[in-house]
Amino acid sequence: MGPGETTVGTLIRLEHLRPAVAGEELAVSSRLVAIGRRLAFEIEAAVGDRVVGRATHERAIVDRARFGRPQTSTM
């Protein structure tokens, strides 16, 4: 990312595969799998060797100053 840029979330897709019992230690890992104007991540949650959930998450790179401005109506 360049100076003055930030990211905003655009998509999250979640799969709940198995239950985790209260008190179990949950390990979560993420991996950046695509870089462009959008960043794509793969996320996995596991209890030991048992995968309990998976997700994909996308973020768009935007100009911080432009993104923070209110939109003007054309109507």
Side-chain angles (χ1 to χ4, degrees):
M1 291 188 342
E5 291 182 322
T6 190
T7 64
V8 294
T10 59
L11 172 73
I12 191 161
R13 189 172 294 123
L14 174 68
E15 294 178 89
H16 184 256
L17 303 171
R18 294 182 176 85
V21 178
E24 287 185 308
E25 187 171 322
L26 184 69
V28 179
S29 63
S30 65
R31 187 167 63 110
L32 180 61
V33 295
I35 302 173
R37 288 304 300 163
R38 292 185 185 268
L39 306 174
F41 297 86
E42 291 179 349
I43 303 157
E44 188 172 272
V47 174
D49 62 351
R50 192 174 84 241
V51 176
V52 296
R54 284 194 184 103
T56 56
H57 179 53
E58 290 182 8
R59 300 190 66 80
I61 298 173
V62 298
D63 179 270
R64 185 183 309 259
R66 225 177 111 186
F67 183 75
R69 282 191 294 220
Q71 300 294 317
T72 58
S73 176
T74 57
M75 290 186 202

